[in-house]
Amino acid sequence: MKFAFLVLCLFTLPVPVLAKPVIDWLSIHWPPFRIAEGVDKGRGHVDQMQQMLMAELPQYRHQIQYSNLARVEQMLAAPSAQTCIFSLLYNESRAKTMRYSVPAVISVNVMLHMSATHPLAQRWRGGSEVALADLTADLATNGMVERNRGYPAIVSQYLDKPDSNLTSQSLQNINPVELLQAKRFDYFIEFPDRVRYFQSMTSQQSPLIDLPIRGLEPLMVSYAACQNSAAGEARLRDINQALQKLRLTTAYQTAMMQWLSPERQLQLQQYLPQFVSENAAPQPAALKNEAELSGSAPAVPQVSL
């Protein structure tokens, strides 16, 4: 009888709960994509999409680490097994330490923005593409981009050059739309959703136009990424399953287009069928070439979809 009682006690002892594996999500303050400060903290449209992703991954304990861009790049170069980031552009350098998911976000690429009443605006009425080689050569005109940012090569080749009117400026705590309205410069290059966010914070609502840049792909793809290791691969398997589900939902797609104008939303919507069906992650060039030689290369998402 005593033995039976002891056996019963053994089976009724509480079983220790295994701790959930952790994902440390890196993030920065870069509205309206990510908002890490003030009353709107966590309400950026990329923030919202990441929150939906985390809700689909209850098997993990999620932690968000806010930092500046320089520090985030350092952590991407030497990530821990728990490090992941959401909405990261692919490049070969990052692919040495980070493994990428299926496409997570599509967004409209940087465009050229100016006042609708500017004389130059008349030249490109109708949405024709702007040739930066011609525009930046006019030294009577002033163009601007934000300093300490990465830009496509077709933009950066004209940046801060003696024979170019395109310069970089620090915009910390400065609204570039207000500078444009004050005629401090004639045009600037930026993401259209970011410009609409800045417009929403200005008292003077003068109309702006956005113009495509010749030679620049209209859309960009970004991904979730985790450490290039077995631990990172395990996390990405779960992330990929969640993304394949989320990309089909209205809530996820609505958040992705939150700050775009109706015209740019329509542009993005044309690519949604391809976006939601693309289930291949980008590969480093060396691995891609090796796979192509063996005849087993999967389709890799293009930067512009």
Side-chain angles (χ1 to χ4, degrees):
M1 185 70 179
K2 187 181 292 186
F3 176 76
F5 176 75
L6 290 173
V7 171
L8 180 62
C9 287
L10 286 173
F11 278 101
T12 56
L13 285 174
V15 177
V17 177
L18 295 177
K20 292 181 178 180
V22 175
I23 296 181
D24 287 329
W25 294 100
L26 304 181
S27 190
I28 61 173
H29 178 66
W30 205 58
F33 298 86
R34 299 178 180 276
I35 301 177
E37 303 170 0
V39 296
D40 290 327
K41 181 177 179 179
R43 296 182 183 176
H45 60 278
V46 169
D47 290 327
Q48 295 174 47
M49 298 166 74
Q50 181 175 323
Q51 289 157 13
M52 294 180 208
L53 176 60
M54 292 189 298
E56 289 292 325
L57 299 168
Q59 67 272 40
Y60 292 94
R61 181 163 61 88
H62 301 277
Q63 301 176 158
I64 299 179
Q65 296 186 8
Y66 292 104
S67 189
N68 58 44
L69 182 59
R71 176 59 181 150
V72 166
E73 286 291 354
Q74 290 175 359
M75 289 188 279
L76 292 177
S80 74
Q82 300 174 176
T83 299
C84 293
I85 188 169
F86 181 75
S87 190
L88 183 70
L89 295 176
Y90 178 87
N91 66 41
E92 292 288 316
S93 176
R94 290 170 177 166
K96 295 175 182 177
T97 57
M98 303 296 291
R99 186 168 298 189
Y100 286 75
S101 71
V102 300
V105 184
I106 51 171
S107 54
V108 179
N109 212 334
V110 293
M111 303 183 74
L112 189 142
H113 304 265
M114 65 173 56
S115 168
T117 60
H118 194 286
L120 285 174
Q122 310 307 315
R123 186 189 306 178
W124 295 294
R125 285 287 183 189
S128 57
E129 296 179 335
V130 177
L132 286 186
D134 297 334
L135 177 62
T136 59
D138 179 6
L139 298 184
T141 302
N142 294 312
M144 191 274 295
V145 298
E146 186 175 9
R147 186 171 296 158
N148 298 325
R149 287 253 308 272
Y151 289 92
I154 201 165
V155 175
S156 61
Q157 65 181 319
Y158 301 109
L159 183 56
D160 294 324
K161 300 293 172 55
D163 57 349
S164 171
N165 63 39
L166 184 60
T167 60
S168 60
Q169 299 184 29
S170 173
L171 293 178
Q172 187 172 6
N173 301 319
I174 297 175
N175 186 329
V177 170
E178 291 180 344
L179 296 181
L180 186 65
Q181 292 169 340
K183 299 182 180 180
R184 295 280 296 277
F185 49 84
D186 300 290
Y187 70 91
F188 72 113
I189 296 173
E190 183 56 278
F191 292 105
D193 33 12
R194 191 159 158 82
V195 171
R196 277 176 61 86
Y197 172 79
F198 286 128
Q199 278 185 288
S200 73
M201 297 188 296
T202 62
S203 56
Q204 180 185 352
Q205 295 296 319
S206 57
L208 302 180
I209 60 170
D210 54 18
L211 300 163
I213 296 170
R214 184 178 299 171
L216 190 63
E217 298 288 359
L219 298 179
M220 299 191 310
V221 183
S222 58
Y223 309 84
C226 300
Q227 185 192 53
N228 191 358
S229 64
E233 184 177 6
R235 285 164 171 77
L236 281 175
R237 279 197 296 268
D238 294 331
I239 289 170
N240 284 339
Q241 289 181 359
L243 285 174
Q244 288 161 357
K245 174 183 176 182
L246 283 171
R247 293 182 309 181
L248 296 167
T249 65
T250 299
Y252 191 84
Q253 294 176 11
T254 299
M256 188 162 58
M257 294 184 284
Q258 181 177 350
W259 282 98
L260 292 173
S261 67
E263 179 184 2
R264 297 304 162 207
Q265 288 185 19
L266 288 173
Q267 179 185 1
L268 204 67
Q269 286 169 353
Q270 296 175 12
Y271 291 86
L272 283 178
Q274 186 173 346
F275 169 66
V276 300
S277 64
E278 181 56 80
N279 292 320
Q283 292 179 308
L287 292 179
K288 181 182 176 184
N289 293 338
E290 181 180 332
E292 287 173 346
L293 289 172
S294 67
S296 60
V300 177
Q302 300 301 307
V303 170
S304 64
L305 277 186

